[in-house]
Amino acid sequence: MFILYLLIFLFGTIIGSFLNVVIYRLPRNESIVYPSSHCTKCKNELKPYDLVPIFSYIILKGRCRYCGNKISVKYPLVEIIAGLMYLVLFIYFGFSIELLFYLFLLSLLIVIAFIDIEHKIIPNKIILTGLIVGAIFRVLMLNYGVWDYVIGFVLGGGVLLLISLLSGGGMGGGDIKLMAMIGLFIGWKLTLLTLFIAALLGAVGGIILIALKIKTRKDYIPFGPYISAACIISILYGYNLLNLYIKLITG
Ligand SMILES: [Zn+2]
């Protein structure tokens, strides 16, 4: 079992390494497949041994082999997060079509969270990719029902759209589209839970960021990372949390 877990983790880090390319290039309108990976400063092409997830960063002590330019800690961080989360989802779902489905969603959410932190946008290309692939999976998984997810799509986007309209544009368009996409993936119950958890995480996160003086009260704090984290929490623990809630209100 340990070998299998290790392989899944390593597979996740390799996907994470690819997600890094997407996170860097997509907002810059660069092609994701061409050219091959190069140092963003000296443009030297990176060799396969420079691209081993996590290890290359440690061996090179976080610097480019050629020009000594500092490499962002974001790269190994994305690889570690992807590796660990791939493993967690594998343990949770086992080999199944659901596993593929949620690994895909997780990968999108990692890309969205990191692009949103850096550029304060959620690219339409990713949302569109998610909607198309999500719809295909939903057709393949018809035995899970359809309406739950259609309602999730409408409700996910709708609630944030309503908040945006009522607050006079307090909510970004990217967040609205992201929640609609998530609704298609996880259904309306978990979508509402995701919104609730995201609001909670956002409030706590905002207070911490302001207390640590990383952000001021006036700064725009991207909501995408909170939605992404809340969505993963909902997938893993959602039904436990909902049952607990029902038990609490029904006594
Ligand atoms: Zn370099």
Side-chain angles (χ1 to χ4, degrees), residues 38-44 46 64-69:
H38 51 267
C39 169
T40 54
K41 193 168 182 206
C42 67
K43 309 291 178 210
N44 264 307
L46 298 178
C64 169
R65 181 190 299 279
Y66 307 98
C67 68
N69 183 40

